Amino acid sequence: MKILLVGSGGRERALEWMLRRSVFVTDIVSVPDDLGRADCAWCGSDMFTGIGRLAPYASRKEIDFVVIGSEASLVAGVADMFRRNGKP
């Protein structure tokens, strides 16, 4: 399973560490870039200024599952946008 991890803080680093322990996870793509996590995952090279760019990016990267770590992303409607686009 290929996962898109949205957020750039310590919480997301902890989520990534736990997700990588799963035998079902094949890859984790992190947005926005976070050099602090560069040792843990390939970080998406695009910086996102609007949530509308995330869905096409996830489709291009063939993402299976999205994990949103930050409250700001949730408040901005990122989860709702992915739900509308059929991504869990």
Side-chain angles (χ1 to χ4, degrees), residues 22-82:
S22 170
V23 297
F24 300 107
V25 175
T26 58
D27 196 12
I28 298 175
V29 178
S30 301
V31 292
D33 283 5
D34 180 16
L35 296 177
R37 288 202 320 256
D39 61 321
C40 294
W42 177 88
C43 295
S45 59
D46 295 28
M47 291 303 290
F48 296 96
T49 57
I51 64 171
R53 295 177 62 192
L54 284 172
Y57 182 79
S59 292
R60 264 194 330 273
K61 295 294 181 181
E62 299 176 345
I63 299 296
D64 301 305
F65 189 77
V66 180
V67 176
I68 301 170
S70 69
E71 291 91 354
S73 297
L74 292 171
V75 170
V78 174
D80 298 328
M81 183 265 309
F82 276 114

